[in-house]
Amino acid sequence: MPKKFIEKYMPNPEELKNHKYLKVFGNLLHKPNLWALNRKSAPGAFAIGLFAAWVPIPFQMILAAALAIFFNVNLPVSVALVWLTNPVTMPFMFYAAYLLGAKIMGRPEQEFHFEASWAWVESSLSTIGLPFLVGCGVLAVVSAIVGYFVMSNLWKYNVLFKWNKRGKYK
């Protein structure tokens, strides 16, 4: 189930190799394990993708791709999972990160109104910036660890299920 399901939604490797933002990696994209989907590369790719999704920077795909190349795990899965933070989900996820960070730091929640401007970002860094970054860091690490172990166990149980199924019908 995991391999076929993931492969069904994976982007074409040639498209990713030619993506304008991923071209910076050049020949590093030609490592075969970056495109392999197996029990070792899939959990690592999930961990990297989920980690990068919580990092509040533009072009998270580049971070996910760099980490996938460094750790030699499946690049398409890593890059695709970054899109968990998209324009629809990002406000809710990052607000939750801020609330968690404020709770961890023992700070009261600040009331704020989001504005899509650089001036707002600069002025907000002094009030909500640190709790937000702490929350993002904690959620990045926790979701990476959980994603790794969930995917690893899904893969293992899927293999065991297939072995049992084959054993019963032979």
Side-chain angles (χ1 to χ4, degrees):
M1 175 248 162
K3 186 173 182 174
K4 287 183 182 180
F5 179 78
I6 294 169
E7 283 178 340
K8 187 164 104 175
Y9 295 103
M10 270 189 7
N12 182 342
E14 290 307 314
E15 287 177 24
L16 279 179
K17 287 178 187 176
N18 295 321
H19 192 278
K20 64 181 179 180
Y21 296 122
L22 298 179
K23 280 187 176 183
V24 297
F25 297 112
N27 289 336
L28 292 173
L29 294 178
H30 297 289
K31 292 165 49 175
N33 202 49
L34 294 177
W35 311 103
L37 191 59
N38 54 48
R39 67 181 175 85
K40 291 183 180 180
S41 68
F46 265 74
I48 286 170
L50 292 172
F51 178 86
W54 285 103
V55 178
I57 59 170
F59 307 109
Q60 295 163 312
M61 286 180 11
I62 295 173
L63 173 65
L67 291 171
I69 291 167
F70 182 78
F71 288 105
N72 203 27
V73 298
N74 188 281
L75 185 119
V77 171
S78 296
V79 170
L81 279 170
V82 166
W83 285 98
L84 287 174
T85 48
N86 58 59
V88 174
T89 62
M90 193 178 298
F92 302 107
M93 290 174 69
F94 285 167
Y95 183 66
Y98 163 70
L99 293 176
L100 178 65
K103 188 163 204 77
I104 289 171
M105 295 178 70
R107 290 189 179 181
E109 297 170 15
Q110 301 280 328
E111 197 167 307
F112 61 91
H113 300 285
F114 176 75
E115 227 178 87
S117 71
W118 188 250
W120 181 85
V121 171
E122 286 179 329
S123 68
S124 297
L125 283 178
S126 62
T127 57
I128 65 170
L130 190 57
F132 170 65
L133 292 175
V134 167
C136 283
V138 168
L139 288 169
V141 170
V142 168
S143 64
I145 291 169
V146 169
Y148 179 87
F149 286 110
V150 165
M151 192 61 194
S152 183
N153 284 324
L154 272 175
W155 205 279
K156 182 173 77 175
Y157 290 123
N158 186 47
V159 168
L160 291 173
F161 176 76
K162 285 181 181 179
W163 284 355
N164 282 339
K165 191 174 176 182
R166 265 190 268 159
K168 288 180 182 176
Y169 296 110
K170 283 191 173 183

